[in-house]
Amino acid sequence: MMMKAATMRVTRRQALGLGAGATAVVIAGPTVGPAVAKGQSAEDAIKAFTGGAETKTGKVSLSTPEIAENGNTVPVSFDIESPMTADDHVQSVLVVADGNPRPGVATFHFSEMSGKASASTRIRLAKTQNVIAVARMSDGSFFMDKRLVKVTIGGCGG
Amino acid sequence: MAKVKPRVKVPKKAEAGEVITIKTLINHKMESGFRKDKKTGELIPQKIINKFTAEFNGKPVFSADVRPAVSANPYFQFKVKVPESGTFKFTWVDDDGSTYSTEKKIKVGG
């Protein structure tokens, strides 16, 4: 019941502004054991996205906090170097977290109208782990970036 | 569950070809499927927003396939290059099949 009240109380300012912490408190409950079935690994998830193609480093810049006190809402953003024209643009970006019970976080799809291939969101991290962003370019090449995030309180299970 | 209410911030005006930043948020618990019910010890089934899309004048400009690792009250910020005045339409798709959407107008030039 507490959770409902807390969710509703999120004001517009907290919501749209920098109030990442405001929503973070919402899910603080008992921890779920590690008994949850493990899905595909982060490597598999990336392979499924790239189709096994070589993934180079560069072009992608991922930014995350170095230390996340609360794994329930970790701000993550990325920015990809690309002119974003019809011939040369970023098609999609896969974000994975390699230490989560299910590593896939989200896949973002861009268009020529994006102007700039950048996005940010907030994610859950179960423990200290790498967050990886892989970008698929319109020419079929792949670029990635990886950041280690130290998590004080895990955020999967709540 | 609290009433789902999408919140979006789009600039009211822009120059033609300007790259604008859009911020979106929707209140949703994003039940991950990994949490247990405190009383029964049973896993609470997954219920999340699994897709978010943004369209401009009917053309898709940005979308995201979302998995349970995205935090409660999912927030997305992204950029769009606006060529002309028009309307943005934002849609969120829930695991239970319901969709939530909202629209915002932007004036370009003038």
Side-chain angles (χ1 to χ4, degrees):
Chain A
M1 290 315 277
M2 255 195 66
M3 276 184 220
K4 285 186 188 170
T7 315
M8 278 189 285
R9 234 184 286 131
V10 176
T11 65
R12 183 185 160 80
R13 179 166 303 177
Q14 284 167 326
L16 285 177
L18 302 164
T23 46
V25 253
V26 174
I27 312 176
T31 340
V32 167
V36 181
K38 239 185 147 126
Q40 46 168 196
S41 73
E43 234 169 85
D44 293 341
I46 294 172
K47 224 175 245 170
F49 180 71
T50 61
E54 191 200 350
T55 316
K56 289 169 258 183
T57 47
K59 292 206 179 185
V60 181
S61 67
L62 180 65
S63 67
T64 60
E66 219 169 286
I67 297 171
E69 277 185 24
N70 186 332
N72 268 317
T73 40
V74 183
V76 169
S77 61
F78 59 81
D79 203 337
I80 293 144
E81 220 178 281
S82 164
M84 295 304 279
T85 58
D87 310 331
D88 185 3
H89 60 271
V90 178
Q91 280 178 339
S92 34
V93 175
L94 170 77
V95 177
V96 294
D98 68 0
N100 270 0
R102 265 179 286 172
V105 174
T107 314
F108 299 94
H109 305 281
F110 295 94
S111 67
E112 298 155 43
M113 270 186 71
S114 295
K116 197 161 175 19
S118 80
S120 50
T121 184
R122 296 178 194 141
I123 69 170
R124 288 171 173 147
L125 296 176
K127 57 180 184 197
T128 297
Q129 57 184 294
N130 289 311
V131 175
I132 306 161
V134 186
R136 175 167 50 213
M137 305 301 192
S138 51
D139 65 359
S141 60
F142 292 89
F143 290 89
M144 65 167 278
D145 194 12
K146 188 153 97 174
R147 286 269 178 279
L148 178 70
V149 183
K150 291 191 178 118
V151 177
T152 320
I153 306 165
C156 255
Chain B
M1 146 138 222
K3 198 174 174 291
V4 178
K5 193 176 168 210
R7 294 153 203 262
V8 177
K9 208 170 203 176
V10 178
K12 287 194 175 64
K13 288 193 276 190
E15 299 296 318
E18 191 183 334
V19 178
I20 58 159
T21 301
I22 295 178
K23 294 174 178 177
T24 72
L25 185 132
I26 190 162
N27 62 317
H28 194 282
K29 262 163 98 177
M30 295 291 281
E31 196 57 66
S32 66
F34 290 100
R35 255 158 34 97
K36 277 181 184 165
D37 189 302
K38 265 186 236 179
K39 289 184 195 117
T40 63
E42 300 278 313
L43 279 176
I44 303 169
Q46 177 184 318
K47 186 180 184 295
I48 61 164
I49 295 287
N50 57 50
K51 184 130 186 99
F52 166 74
T53 57
E55 288 173 19
F56 182 68
N57 290 343
K59 267 177 71 184
V61 287
F62 176 85
S63 70
D65 304 327
V66 184
R67 275 159 287 231
V70 172
S71 302
N73 305 328
Y75 163 83
F76 301 108
Q77 182 191 315
F78 54 94
K79 296 194 191 283
V80 177
K81 194 171 173 182
V82 281
E84 61 204 3
S85 299
T87 310
F88 281 103
K89 187 179 181 196
F90 306 94
T91 311
W92 290 259
V93 183
D94 194 304
D95 269 348
D96 69 7
S98 37
T99 60
Y100 315 105
S101 63
T102 186
E103 291 188 2
K104 290 275 176 200
K105 282 193 166 56
I106 186 165
K107 197 168 181 249
V108 169

